[in-house]
Amino acid sequence: MNLKFYTVCLCLFFIFTNCRQKQDTSAQNPDVSTTPDNAKKPNIVIIYLDDLGYGDLGCYGAPTLKTPHIDALANGGVKFTNGYATSATCTPSRYGLLTGVYPWKNKQAKILPGTAPLIIDTTQLTLPKLLKKEGYHTGIVGKWHLGLGIGQVDWNKTVAPGPNQVGFDYAYIMAATQDRVPTVYIENGQVVGLDPNDPIQVDYASNFEGEPTAISHPELLTMKWHHGHNNSIVNGIPRIGYMKGGEAAKWSDIDMADHFLKGAQDYVKKHKNEPFFLYYAMQQPHVPRTPHPRFVGSSGMGPRGDVIVEADWAVGEFVNTLEKEGLLENTLIILSSDNGPVLNDGYYDDAVEKLGAHDPNGGLRGGKYSLFEAGTRVPFITYYKGTITPKVSDAIVCQLDVLASVAQLIDAPVTDLDSKDLLDTLLGHSDEGREDLIIEATTRTALRSGEWLMIPPYEGKTYEEQVGIETGSSNAYQLYNLKNDRGQKYNLAASYPKILESLIAKFEALRGTDYNTIEQLELK
Ligand code: NG6
Ligand code: CA
């Protein structure tokens, strides 16, 4: 009896001490975690606006436009004054952001029609692929514009390859732009709400017989086109490209902001218990500017201002969701824009007429399509509650660098890309940015180096110049000192020949010497 009792006691003692030892080990040794590994990995969110200019936000000096929600991110995070998109148009910038490779290295990386094939190689490293490999769930909600399929897409079948084949577990997208057909949402390769009895056909070369266009049926238009944008009509808005069928699947333009917001919020709620990467690619303030009725008149600046107010509201709602779900302190948010601003981008929408005192360029020269600063220098904000101490940084950073920096953050460093690890700078721990950056605008390139910007000569007029947009082309070298001459008023090429010479050498070493081949800009 006694012996049995002692044996039981001895066993209990061993079990007890063993447990204690295990607990102690985990307390002393941080490598032995009691929580699953994934719980500690920070979520990554990129909020990407479309055509938002350097001066389009209150926090970047907009005098009348109110953007309190984005301002709150800037005021609680790092606001970069020298943050760049890789390009002054959409497709190449998105390519640079997602691949970490300069877009001018891919000849296909220029404004794409809605029928263009996927331009990211499915074997190539991408930001979502990298994160997926490290245990993240990866999603995109919003604008894609990097091509789909391999040519001749059948929109009535699974549309692939696309985002799902380059690293996104979940994709809810519009194929190209809000002004291009097909005007439907695509969820993981399937057109949402498609009626099989009303198949979709899309063509960029010619119309489908009997289908109204802006030219044949101007009386159907609720928005007038100024240049381009005179093909198929959807919701009274003339688009680029022709489309037939798919009636039930067509999106509602005025609901797009709410729709993408809900998609982004649902994604977060669904994946809150695992590390996630969300690329929330908003459509504002790209044309056609179609604010929801509750935002009409909100800016006093017409539709362009109204959709910026709408976008700001959506950002606020989205950040609230992160907060409510208890994720804000474990999420790095990067907010930026794919290129600089444009007022008249092909529709009559009062963007010019109602501008008032607002300067979408924030004092920079040029705009969308331009090699001058306003083309690529954009709002660039990082926010990571509890980790980033708020500051304004003048370091030169580029969206190209997001990939290598995020890789560093999650302890999976990458090499051999154009992307540079600027993690410390993005988190506000360092003021060191890039020394050199090649910027791109409609297949032309220039060099930002320290305080200088050098634009090599380009001959021939681009399409944008023909419609009155200043693109930065000149038949002579241009050299600007951005520190003393932010607005690029004084070409110093003749006054500083040595500096010019060294910048040309640097540029050619990075870019090669075959840069001066003007390719006709893809118009569709
Ligand atoms: C241009 C369109 C412009 C816009 C742009 C792409 C015309 C005349 N202009 O070709 O409206 O859609 O392409 O913008 O069609 S981006 O932000 O997606 O690069
Ligand atoms: Ca854009």
Side-chain angles (χ1 to χ4, degrees):
M1 200 58 186
N2 254 355
L3 191 64
K4 251 188 183 173
F5 178 69
Y6 270 113
T7 319
V8 170
C9 279
L10 208 62
C11 281
L12 281 172
F13 174 72
F14 269 115
I15 291 167
F16 181 68
T17 38
N18 209 17
C19 275
R20 278 299 298 258
Q21 266 169 2
K22 267 193 186 147
Q23 271 173 14
D24 287 346
T25 323
S26 62
Q28 282 159 11
N29 180 357
D31 285 336
V32 182
S33 169
T34 47
T35 48
D37 231 18
N38 280 351
K40 287 192 183 142
K41 288 185 180 165
N43 306 308
I44 314 290
V45 170
I46 298 178
I47 304 177
Y48 210 45
L49 286 102
D50 193 359
D51 296 4
L52 186 79
Y54 187 87
D56 274 329
L57 298 171
C59 53
Y60 278 87
T64 49
L65 203 48
K66 301 272 180 287
T67 54
H69 301 104
I70 300 179
D71 295 356
L73 295 182
N75 296 333
V78 187
K79 182 184 96 172
F80 289 93
T81 61
N82 279 292
Y84 285 84
T86 52
S87 174
T89 58
C90 165
T91 299
S93 284
R94 282 158 208 260
Y95 182 85
L97 172 72
L98 292 183
T99 66
V101 173
Y102 273 127
W104 42 265
K105 293 188 175 170
N106 180 344
K107 292 263 182 256
Q108 310 307 316
K110 48 189 176 184
I111 301 174
L112 297 176
T115 46
L118 178 68
I119 63 161
I120 299 177
D121 190 323
T122 52
T123 62
Q124 197 173 341
L125 180 68
T126 64
L127 181 57
K129 252 190 206 173
L130 171 96
L131 288 160
K132 196 175 148 105
K133 201 166 145 249
E134 296 301 316
Y136 278 69
H137 195 280
T138 56
I140 168 173
V141 174
K143 175 174 175 173
W144 178 239
H145 211 189
L146 288 161
L148 294 166
I150 51 168
Q152 298 297 332
V153 172
D154 182 345
W155 303 92
N156 307 288
K157 299 195 174 134
T158 302
V159 179
N164 297 113
Q165 285 69 36
V166 298
F168 288 103
D169 293 312
Y170 178 71
Y172 194 99
I173 58 165
M174 68 163 145
T177 59
Q178 203 186 332
D179 53 351
R180 281 172 176 76
V181 297
T183 50
V184 295
Y185 298 121
I186 301 167
E187 186 172 34
N188 295 327
Q190 308 294 327
V191 170
V192 178
L194 182 65
D195 173 358
N197 298 317
D198 181 25
I200 299 186
Q201 286 173 275
V202 180
D203 198 313
Y204 273 70
S206 49
N207 192 20
F208 299 96
E209 220 187 308
E211 289 299 304
T213 69
I215 305 285
S216 69
H217 290 72
E219 74 283 1
L220 298 179
L221 301 180
T222 53
M223 193 186 280
K224 284 193 175 158
W225 59 279
H226 176 277
H227 54 279
H229 306 98
N230 56 19
N231 303 155
S232 286
I233 305 165
V234 181
N235 305 332
I237 302 169
R239 315 279 168 157
I240 308 173
Y242 302 97
M243 174 177 172
K244 183 184 158 99
E247 215 42 60
K250 286 178 181 170
W251 67 48
S252 158
D253 291 275
I254 55 171
D255 293 314
M256 188 176 280
D258 289 342
H259 197 75
F260 282 149
L261 169 62
K262 184 164 186 310
Q265 289 171 316
D266 287 351
Y267 179 85
V268 164
K269 288 180 200 159
K270 193 162 175 200
H271 298 287
K272 63 183 174 190
N273 292 325
E274 57 190 321
F276 63 81
F277 164 56
L278 175 64
Y279 174 36
Y280 178 17
M282 304 173 80
Q283 87 283 9
Q284 302 106 323
H286 194 283
V287 295
R289 296 158 183 143
T290 54
H292 188 274
R294 63 184 195 282
F295 289 99
V296 171
S298 59
S299 68
M301 284 172 43
R304 185 173 187 278
D306 294 349
V307 297
I308 293 175
V309 173
E310 179 188 66
D312 179 66
W313 167 82
V315 169
E317 292 299 297
F318 177 74
V319 173
N320 277 346
T321 300
L322 289 174
E323 181 138 53
K324 269 193 213 135
E325 298 297 341
L327 299 168
L328 208 48
E329 295 192 8
N330 193 34
T331 302
L332 169 64
I333 300 175
I334 301 171
L335 183 143
S336 197
S337 171
D338 67 342
N339 53 254
V342 57
L343 295 175
N344 178 350
D345 207 14
Y347 295 97
Y348 287 96
D349 64 3
D350 281 345
V352 178
E353 293 78 355
K354 294 200 172 155
L355 194 60
H358 182 66
D359 174 13
N361 286 16
L364 302 174
R365 186 172 174 185
K368 182 177 180 178
Y369 311 109
S370 185
L371 278 175
F372 289 133
E373 284 295 280
T376 48
R377 209 199 291 190
V378 286
F380 196 126
I381 297 163
T382 53
Y383 179 87
Y384 191 164
K385 193 175 177 190
T387 295
I388 288 181
T389 307
K391 72 186 273 190
V392 175
S393 171
D394 297 330
I396 300 175
V397 296
C398 180
Q399 291 161 12
L400 195 60
D401 306 320
V402 168
L403 197 155
S405 307
V406 165
Q408 188 64 34
L409 175 67
I410 62 164
D411 232 354
V414 293
T415 46
D416 297 335
L417 294 174
D418 298 316
S419 184
K420 279 195 194 317
D421 164 22
L422 296 180
L423 180 65
D424 284 345
T425 315
L426 294 186
L427 295 181
H429 301 152
S430 158
D431 284 322
E432 214 173 297
R434 283 177 163 263
E435 179 60 19
D436 300 313
L437 173 71
I438 303 270
I439 55 166
E440 190 262 346
T442 59
T443 69
R444 298 157 302 128
T445 42
L447 174 71
R448 165 100 201 234
S449 185
E451 63 198 53
W452 297 94
L453 188 94
M454 187 284 292
I455 307 179
Y458 287 105
E459 279 152 26
K461 280 208 160 166
T462 64
Y463 175 76
E464 281 70 29
E465 281 171 298
Q466 291 163 34
V467 294
I469 292 177
E470 190 182 46
T471 63
S473 288
S474 159
N475 53 16
Y477 277 100
Q478 296 174 76
L479 179 67
Y480 298 97
N481 186 289
L482 297 175
K483 198 169 157 207
N484 305 325
D485 177 25
R486 210 173 151 268
Q488 294 178 290
K489 287 201 180 78
Y490 307 103
N491 179 2
L492 302 178
S495 329
Y496 291 86
K498 285 254 160 62
I499 290 181
L500 178 64
E501 200 181 309
S502 77
L503 292 187
I504 293 172
K506 219 178 215 187
F507 176 72
E508 292 186 353
L510 288 166
R511 175 69 181 92
T513 47
D514 65 342
Y515 57 86
N516 204 347
T517 47
I518 291 261
E519 285 173 50
Q520 185 58 41
L521 173 65
E522 179 68 73
L523 291 185
K524 289 225 163 166

